[in-house]
């Protein structure tokens, strides 16, 4: 007993001496307490609080920022009419991969410290105020996520203008908080569930650009850099870039001194000149951050971008022509020697090439703007420009073989037509968020089919080139097949038919209402694996057919319902339980995560066999 008394004495002493509590609020997943940086404040002071949070192993909680709309972010709130909530200050999170998510997610583990800044409202009276501080979070382990929780701790704030504390307490705790990095304001004022509902309501007009973001995250940075480099290499075949090749060749020919190493170096500086244009774009996108993404969410901006693509497409059909400036065309004939001339030449070519590579660059710009990392912006666009500039290094080194390049001619006019259709399609696709889904699903494939038909039946450009003609027919046939495949009517999807319930009484009533075995699916809007069950398992024809022999009940646990969770022993989601006709659960058949249709059918058959034997 002596050691217990000693521990109690130390605890009381630590509270009285340092004003810092041990973890005073507990759940199965974490413990936390709130401390202030002063004992007494004036009514003009900035009040700083620290939440000391210990996340219990093996759990983690989501970060204050989450990219997956099925997950709930961690938030801190102070609901008191006497104080203004200014901001919260979360630490850096970890990016980890778990079974329930395809991508890495931002999480917190172990012990973290979160800061909060408040101010007292005007004309507040002196005295002691009991301030409730709420921590809302969603805990997960390596396999599943659990219901969102909210814990509340209270702290006493003493306002006394004559007794204001000059010294700061809990310095070790507050030293762990970076008050220069506030949480985004929108995240503070919006709970995780509200954010989820907003994501479900809003179809963002930048969804196409988001695909680039997801693509880079899925492939990883290293693989993405390789693919971006290859993309830059392929951009040399676009109509705006290819005509620049003979101009570039004549430029290198004028600079050549017979030294192959010097020619190669000239080509390197030329490529570096091109990289300046695009790397600067990448850094600018990162520094401006969300400004780019915000602008691109505006329907007017979306329409403007689509009109630019439409205009570029019309130029490919000869309505007007984007010409290489005369000054640039004459550069190769001028005696501009030196590496600086190569850099300037490459810089100019970078601007000229921009109209053709704009859509690809636009997608990367949006991704970089979201990351807000200037180094990432520089790296991605530097690699892109290196892919674009690599052929010119070889051109500079191979002056004697330049004449073997195919000349611009009628086949290039044919390529312009193909690129015109591609640009029209990109303009159409850019407008997708503004077009009703059912209309877009029909009109976009139809456009692809008509483009292919035009290339096969009506386009006569480039017919003197057999190679080009064969390539054109191949592309056209692929377009017709692809468009037709996407136009095919979708058959009626057979799926499990559910009775929806939200209360324990209605569930029990439904269980006892028939003489069938029972299947109960417990789900939540924030549960990613629940959605996988809905999409892949419950739409399987055999599972749907077998489910007709069951009383199928679906229970929404998006909002915490301890009565239902305690009754059916629900620790995390998804959970699917099977009961016999007497309403008794067959516990060995319980599903606690995503299960593919084959495994799920085995459990259904096992229950049916048991029921038949009885």
């Amino acid at each position: 007993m002596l050691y217990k008394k000693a521990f109690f004495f130390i605890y009381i002493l630590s509270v009285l001496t340092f004003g810092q509590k041990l973890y005073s609020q507990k759940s199965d997943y974490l413990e936390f307490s709130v401390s202030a940086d002063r004992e007494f404040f004036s009514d003009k002071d900035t009040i700083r609080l620290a939440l000391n949070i210990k996340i219990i192993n093996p759990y983690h909680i989501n970060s204050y920022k989450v990219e997956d709309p099925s997950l709930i972010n961690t938030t801190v709130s102070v609901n008191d009419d006497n104080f203004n909530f200014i901001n919260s200050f979360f630490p850096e999170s970890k990016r980890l991969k778990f079974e329930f998510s395809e991508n890495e997610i931002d999480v917190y583990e172990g012990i973290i410290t979160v800061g909060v800044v408040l101010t007292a409202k005007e004309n507040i009276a002196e005295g002691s105020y009991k301030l409730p501080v709420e921590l809302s979070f969603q805990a997960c382990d390596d396999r599943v996520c659990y219901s969102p929780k909210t814990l509340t701790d209270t702290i006493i704030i003493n306002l006394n203008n004559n007794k204001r504390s000059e010294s700061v307490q809990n310095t070790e705790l507050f030293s762990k908080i970076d008050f220069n990095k506030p949480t985004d304001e929108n995240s503070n004022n919006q709970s995780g569930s509200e954010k989820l509902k907003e994501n479900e309501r809003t179809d963002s007009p930048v969804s196409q650009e988001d695909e680039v973001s997801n693509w880079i995250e899925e492939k990883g940075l290293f693989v993405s850099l390789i693919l971006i480099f290859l993309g830059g290499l392929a951009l040399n075949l676009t109509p705006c870039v290819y005509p620049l090749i003979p101009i570039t060749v004549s430029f290198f020919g004028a600079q050549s001194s017979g030294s192959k190493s010097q020619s190669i170096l000239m080509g390197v500086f030329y490529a570096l000149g091109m990289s300046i244009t695009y790397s600067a774009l990448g850094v600018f996108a990162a520094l401006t951050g969300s400004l780019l993404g915000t602008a691109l969410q505006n329907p007017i901006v979306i329409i403007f971008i689509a009109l630019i693509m439409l205009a570029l497409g019309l130029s490919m059909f000869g309505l007007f022509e984007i010409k290489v400036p005369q000054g640039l065309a004459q550069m190769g004939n001028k005696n501009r020697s030196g590496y600086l001339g190569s850099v300037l030449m490459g810089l100019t070519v970078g601007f000229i090439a921009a109209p053709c590579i704009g859509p690809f660059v636009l997608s990367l710009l949006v991704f970089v703007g979201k990351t807000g990392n200037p180094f990432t912006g520089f790296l991605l666009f530097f690699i892109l420009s290196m892919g674009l500039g690599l052929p010119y290094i070889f051109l500079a080194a191979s002056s004697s073989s330049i004449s073997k390049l195919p000349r611009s001619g009628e086949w290039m006019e044919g390529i312009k037509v193909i690129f015109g259709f591609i640009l029209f399609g990109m303009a159409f696709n850019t407008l997708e968020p503004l077009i009703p889904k059912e209309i877009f699903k029909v009109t976009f494939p139809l456009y692809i089919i008509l483009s292919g038909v035009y290339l096969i039946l009506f386009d006569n450009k480039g017919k003197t080139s057999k190679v080009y003609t064969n390539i054109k027919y191949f592309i056209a046939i692929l377009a017709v097949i692809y468009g037709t495949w996407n136009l095919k009517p979708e058959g009626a999807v057979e799926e499990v038919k559910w009775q929806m319930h939200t209360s324990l009484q209605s569930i029990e009533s439904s269980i006892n209402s028939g003489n069938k075995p029972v299947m109960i699916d417990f789900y939540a809007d924030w549960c990613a694996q629940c959605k996988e069950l809905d999409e892949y398992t419950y739409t399987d024809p055999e599972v749907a057919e077998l489910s007709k022999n069951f009383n199928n009940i679906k229970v929404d646990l998006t909002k915490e319902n301890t009565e239902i969770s305690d009754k059916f022993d629900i620790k995390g989601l998804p959970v699917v339980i099977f009961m016999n006709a007497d309403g008794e659960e067959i516990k060995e058949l319980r599903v606690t995560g995503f299960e593919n249709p084959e495994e799920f059918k085995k459990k259904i058959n096992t229950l049916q066999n048991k029921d038949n034997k009885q």
Side-chain angles (χ1 to χ4, degrees):
M1 295 296 293
L2 183 61
Y3 75 90
K4 290 184 178 179
K5 291 181 179 179
F7 177 81
F8 180 75
F9 174 76
I10 292 170
Y11 170 74
I12 296 297
L13 184 64
S14 68
V15 172
L16 293 176
T17 305
F18 303 106
Q20 181 175 331
K21 299 173 284 185
L22 297 179
Y23 303 105
S24 59
Q25 294 299 315
K26 296 183 180 181
S27 72
D28 294 336
Y29 312 113
L30 61 78
E31 306 169 350
F32 92 101
S33 64
V34 183
S35 303
D37 65 342
R38 297 178 190 273
E39 185 179 359
F40 293 95
F41 297 89
S42 76
D43 57 5
K44 303 298 183 185
D45 279 337
T46 296
I47 301 167
R48 298 196 306 173
L49 305 179
L51 281 71
N52 199 20
I53 303 169
K54 178 184 177 183
I55 303 160
I56 299 169
N57 191 45
Y59 303 111
H60 64 265
I61 63 174
N62 299 323
S63 169
Y64 72 91
K65 54 182 180 181
V66 291
E67 297 173 358
D68 187 340
S70 67
L71 300 176
I72 306 299
N73 60 320
T74 300
T75 60
V76 176
S77 60
V78 178
N79 300 311
D80 191 283
D81 294 336
N82 297 301
F83 295 89
N84 299 310
F85 183 89
I86 304 302
N87 221 319
S88 58
F89 301 81
F90 280 82
E92 290 294 323
S93 54
K94 300 177 182 177
R95 281 189 76 81
L96 300 176
K97 178 75 174 65
F98 301 99
E99 287 184 26
F100 57 81
S101 177
E102 294 182 0
N103 302 315
E104 291 183 339
I105 59 176
D106 293 293
V107 300
Y108 296 119
E109 294 181 318
I111 298 175
I112 64 169
T113 308
V114 177
V116 172
V117 170
L118 310 169
T119 58
K121 290 192 175 179
E122 290 185 11
N123 303 320
I124 189 172
E126 293 185 358
S128 296
Y129 293 86
K130 194 182 225 182
L131 204 63
V133 180
E134 291 186 352
L135 176 67
S136 298
F137 63 91
Q138 182 183 33
C140 307
D141 57 27
D142 290 346
R143 294 187 66 251
V144 296
C145 286
Y146 302 92
S147 300
K149 302 282 185 183
T150 297
L151 295 181
T152 303
D153 191 20
T154 57
I155 186 169
I156 303 298
I157 300 297
N158 298 304
L159 295 182
N160 191 318
N161 295 330
N162 299 320
K163 200 178 177 181
R164 177 184 181 275
S165 301
E166 296 297 335
S167 61
V168 176
Q169 60 185 10
N170 305 315
T171 52
E172 183 179 350
L173 188 61
F174 279 90
S175 66
K176 300 174 183 176
I177 304 170
D178 186 353
F179 284 98
N180 294 316
K181 294 183 178 179
T183 306
D184 183 78
E185 186 178 348
N186 292 329
S187 297
N188 291 330
N189 300 327
Q190 198 173 33
S191 69
S193 59
E194 288 171 339
K195 187 177 181 181
L196 173 60
K197 289 176 183 177
E198 181 176 306
N199 286 342
E200 289 173 343
R201 289 194 304 265
T202 306
D203 292 325
S204 172
V206 293
S207 58
Q208 299 303 317
E209 283 75 19
D210 287 339
E211 290 180 8
V212 174
S213 172
N214 296 333
W215 173 66
I216 292 176
E217 289 177 2
E218 180 184 345
K219 301 294 183 184
L221 184 59
F222 179 74
V223 175
S224 297
L225 289 176
I226 295 174
L227 295 175
I228 288 171
F229 177 84
L230 294 174
L233 196 62
L235 288 171
N236 283 285
L237 298 177
T238 57
C240 292
V241 179
Y242 192 87
L244 296 172
I245 292 178
I247 298 170
T248 305
V249 169
S250 63
F251 173 80
F252 287 133
Q255 309 303 318
S256 177
S257 62
S259 169
K260 194 160 191 175
S261 60
Q262 184 183 6
S263 297
I264 293 173
L265 199 55
M266 294 279 285
V268 170
F269 274 90
Y270 183 93
L272 287 173
M274 297 181 72
S275 73
I276 292 174
T277 303
Y278 300 106
S279 300
L281 275 176
V283 173
F284 173 77
L287 292 175
T288 55
S290 60
L291 290 176
L292 214 69
T294 302
L296 289 170
Q297 291 178 11
N298 190 321
I300 296 175
V301 177
I302 295 296
I303 293 171
F304 178 72
I305 292 171
L307 288 174
I308 291 176
M309 293 181 186
L310 179 64
L312 290 172
L314 290 172
S315 75
M316 298 297 156
F317 281 90
L319 188 66
F320 58 90
E321 189 174 356
I322 300 176
K323 290 186 177 180
V324 177
Q326 190 65 25
L328 178 62
Q330 293 175 353
M331 277 186 178
N333 298 323
K334 294 182 180 179
N335 187 20
R336 292 195 177 185
S337 59
Y339 301 124
L340 180 59
S342 295
V343 172
L344 292 174
M345 181 74 174
L347 183 68
T348 309
V349 167
F351 282 109
I352 299 303
C356 281
I357 65 178
F360 185 48
V361 171
L362 180 64
S363 299
L364 282 180
L365 282 173
V366 173
F367 170 72
V368 171
K370 288 180 179 178
T371 65
N373 188 325
F375 176 75
T376 300
F378 173 83
L379 182 62
L380 292 179
F381 280 88
F382 182 80
I383 295 299
L384 173 72
S385 57
M386 285 296 98
L388 190 61
L390 181 65
Y392 298 100
I393 299 175
F394 287 99
L395 287 176
S398 309
S399 304
S400 60
S401 303
I402 295 304
S403 60
K404 297 178 182 178
L405 282 171
R407 302 290 180 185
S408 294
E410 191 183 356
W411 68 277
M412 276 299 293
E413 294 300 315
I415 283 184
K416 280 187 175 184
V417 172
I418 294 175
F419 271 100
F421 280 121
I422 292 173
L423 284 165
F424 289 158
M426 294 181 76
F428 200 164
N429 199 48
T430 301
L431 293 170
E432 179 186 359
L434 309 179
I435 301 173
K437 183 182 287 187
E438 295 305 316
I439 295 176
F440 186 85
K441 281 170 62 177
V442 174
T443 53
F444 190 66
L446 193 60
Y447 165 77
I448 295 174
I449 293 172
L450 293 175
S451 299
V453 170
Y454 179 89
L455 290 174
I456 294 172
L457 299 180
F458 304 106
D459 179 42
N460 294 319
K461 289 185 174 146
K463 61 183 179 181
T464 56
S465 172
K466 188 175 181 181
V467 174
Y468 164 74
T469 302
N470 290 336
I471 293 174
K472 180 186 76 169
Y473 285 145
F474 177 73
I475 293 172
I477 291 169
L478 278 182
V480 172
I481 293 172
Y482 177 80
T484 305
W485 176 261
N486 282 277
L487 262 183
K488 72 181 190 307
E490 295 180 1
V493 178
E494 193 172 3
E495 58 185 352
V496 177
K497 300 294 187 291
W498 301 98
Q499 302 175 48
M500 305 299 293
H501 293 281
T502 56
S503 69
L504 180 59
Q505 292 75 16
S506 64
I507 295 169
E508 290 178 336
S509 175
S510 182
I511 290 172
N512 300 324
S513 64
N515 295 319
K516 290 182 178 181
V518 180
M519 178 168 65
I520 308 180
D521 174 72
F522 298 91
Y523 82 100
D525 290 342
W526 44 259
C527 170
Q529 290 185 316
C530 299
K531 295 178 181 179
E532 289 181 344
L533 282 171
D534 286 338
E535 185 174 355
Y536 302 112
T537 304
Y538 299 147
T539 55
D540 180 84
E542 290 185 51
V543 170
E545 184 63 31
L546 289 170
S547 72
K548 293 177 181 177
N549 301 317
F550 285 76
N551 181 10
N552 304 311
I553 300 171
K554 203 171 186 71
V555 181
D556 186 357
L557 291 180
T558 300
K559 293 182 178 179
E560 187 177 5
N561 189 319
T562 54
E563 188 180 28
I564 294 176
S565 297
D566 292 344
K567 171 68 177 178
F568 295 99
D569 192 27
I570 307 298
K571 301 296 184 186
L573 295 176
V575 168
V576 183
I577 65 174
F578 296 92
M579 296 179 169
N580 59 27
D582 297 325
E584 300 170 340
E585 182 186 354
I586 313 300
K587 292 192 178 293
E588 63 267 25
L589 299 181
R590 177 176 281 227
V591 175
T592 57
F594 172 73
E595 201 153 88
N596 63 47
E598 293 303 317
E599 294 300 319
F600 202 85
K601 281 183 281 189
K602 290 178 184 177
K603 296 196 172 184
I604 293 178
N605 288 325
T606 300
L607 179 57
Q608 284 185 323
N609 293 335
K610 284 189 177 185
D611 248 36
N612 292 334
K613 288 178 182 178
Q614 292 177 352

